[in-house]
Amino acid sequence: MTRTLSPVRLCQRDTPLEPMHRLRKLVGGPHILIKRDDCTGLALGGNKSRKLEYLLAEALREKADVVVTGGALQSNHVRQTAAAAAHLGLDCHVVLERRIVSPGVEYETSGNLLLDRLFGAIIHDVPPEASPAATLDGVAGQLGQAGRRVYVVPPGGSSTVGARGYIDCAGELIAQAAELGRPLDLIIHPTNSGGTQAGLVAGLSERGSDARVLGVSVGRDQAAQEAIVRSLADAIAEESGLDADLGARVRVDDRFVGPGYGQLDGPTLDAIRTVAEYEGILLDPVYTGKAMACLLDLIRTDNVSSSSTVVFLHTGGAPGLFAYASVLNEQLHT
Ligand SMILES: *Cc1c(COP(=O)(O)O)cnc(C)c1O
């Protein structure tokens, strides 16, 4: 294994793995555990924190003085990167893409975007007609020409380096489930740039666990999303000399994409409300609400055995709720 890079400490690891008692009572079915990666602590938490511990360790090793990354206007990844950079004393430039028509004025002023500004990130918009990747390359190139040492964090933090955070998380899950005396049958979580799912399947395989992992797509169709996760999983296997067919373990459910990335629909809102009212836990409109809508559907349609144990990996995202204040308020009236 070529894993000489130690992570830089940015967040809480060993996040809690807890039962969702009241939700289980409501929906019946399997034991439901929630892995609280919304509680990683860095800038209100989320799954990018674990990836950034490895990515920014590489940035420091390369003696970077500025990090550049990108994402959607309400990206959780960008918010956590901006905070991590501030913590480490690195400058941070971010390229933000208007991926959707704003659901309300708060989408442009609140939520993650407000926090990016608070952390002192320098924000670049993707010009109309330009591609986000080309804009990011341009920003990084200009900083380099100005004599800066630039480290580019891939969007979503999903590279073989970033995914190590979720190889670690798989180990935590195995140990914590054993401590609770529960098997690990199914792990379900939202998937987009793929690092979370690829890291998990690699970490489980490495440790001989045959837990199933189901990624819930938040924008792409099943084939496209599986291809993204598989290619990263294959790259991890190759880099670490892991002799396992990781691609075969990658499964994606795309039935809860709804109208598209970042668009709040009925099943997502129902899932957010249910978990808020029954567990006092916040989900988000873009990622975890969709993944929970999928889990609730799988339980209601008897697609998860009631004797099994399901882990819902809470990947964070609740700061994004405030970007949807107008549409949420409208819906919560009814
Ligand atoms: C980025 C993100 C995801 C998706 O994780 P990937 O590793 O990009 O697939 C899921 N949930 C939240 C809240 C996120 O911010």
Side-chain angles (χ1 to χ4, degrees):
M1 304 251 167
T2 48
R3 292 213 191 116
T4 49
L5 188 69
S6 314
V8 58
R9 188 78 204 265
L10 291 170
C11 68
Q12 304 296 322
R13 286 176 244 149
D14 280 315
T15 55
L17 181 67
E18 312 171 320
M20 300 182 93
H21 288 305
R22 293 197 70 227
L23 184 67
R24 184 182 185 212
K25 224 177 236 170
L26 178 73
V27 296
H31 286 270
I32 311 171
L33 303 175
I34 184 166
K35 174 69 168 163
R36 300 295 303 272
D37 271 15
D38 56 322
C39 299
T40 53
L42 175 72
L44 303 175
N47 65 339
K48 304 311 179 308
S49 309
R50 289 181 189 266
K51 301 177 181 182
L52 286 162
E53 290 199 320
Y54 284 95
L55 291 160
L56 295 192
E58 189 172 70
L60 294 178
R61 191 181 61 187
E62 294 175 5
K63 307 222 173 335
D65 58 17
V66 55
V67 298
V68 179
T69 198
L73 207 55
Q74 283 293 337
S75 165
N76 299 301
H77 161 71
V78 167
R79 180 236 320 150
Q80 288 163 84
T81 304
H87 183 72
L88 296 172
L90 303 169
D91 286 344
C92 183
H93 285 245
V94 303
V95 174
L96 299 183
E97 179 198 350
R98 280 164 203 279
R99 238 176 250 178
I100 61 170
V101 176
S102 294
V105 63
E106 301 88 359
Y107 197 83
E108 320 256 336
T109 56
S110 185
N112 287 301
L113 182 57
L114 172 66
L115 301 181
D116 297 344
R117 295 203 175 108
L118 206 51
F119 292 126
I122 298 179
I123 294 170
H124 305 262
D125 289 323
V126 178
E129 318 293 318
S131 88
T135 309
L136 197 152
D137 285 348
V139 169
Q142 276 178 3
L143 287 163
Q145 270 169 15
R148 306 295 303 272
R149 291 184 74 96
V150 181
Y151 182 84
V152 174
V153 177
S158 285
S159 60
T160 56
V161 173
R164 288 185 205 176
Y166 277 87
I167 295 179
D168 293 350
C169 182
E172 273 176 35
L173 275 170
I174 290 169
Q176 288 175 316
E179 217 167 277
L180 294 174
R182 293 258 144 237
L184 262 186
D185 297 313
L186 173 65
I187 301 166
I188 182 166
H189 67 89
T191 177
N192 190 33
S193 67
T196 303
Q197 191 169 10
L200 281 177
V201 296
L204 293 167
S205 294
E206 208 173 80
R207 294 170 178 87
S209 162
D210 58 4
R212 287 196 299 136
V213 179
L214 182 64
V216 179
S217 178
V218 301
R220 297 185 189 89
D221 67 32
Q222 181 189 355
Q225 185 62 36
E226 284 183 350
I228 285 174
V229 181
R230 282 202 183 112
S231 83
L232 184 53
D234 288 345
I236 295 169
E238 180 160 339
E239 223 179 81
S240 58
L242 191 63
D243 183 24
D245 183 4
L246 295 185
R249 294 187 74 152
V250 173
R251 289 275 177 277
V252 167
D253 191 329
D254 67 2
R255 294 172 303 137
F256 292 85
V257 166
Y261 177 87
Q263 316 249 20
L264 179 61
D265 64 350
T268 307
L269 181 63
D270 284 347
I272 293 173
R273 277 181 100 157
T274 301
V275 172
E277 290 176 12
Y278 282 82
E279 294 286 347
I281 290 175
L282 295 171
L283 302 180
D284 80 289
V286 184
Y287 296 98
T288 51
K290 287 180 178 174
M292 182 55 80
C294 180
L295 174 58
L296 295 177
D297 175 80
L298 292 174
I299 294 172
R300 285 186 187 124
T301 55
D302 277 333
N303 277 301
V304 190
S305 143
S306 56
S307 61
S308 67
T309 301
V310 180
V311 173
F312 181 80
L313 171 59
H314 192 326
T315 47
L321 274 173
F322 301 102
Y324 290 78
S326 303
V327 349
L328 284 170
N329 275 316
E330 225 167 81
Q331 302 285 328
L332 293 173
H333 265 296
T334 59

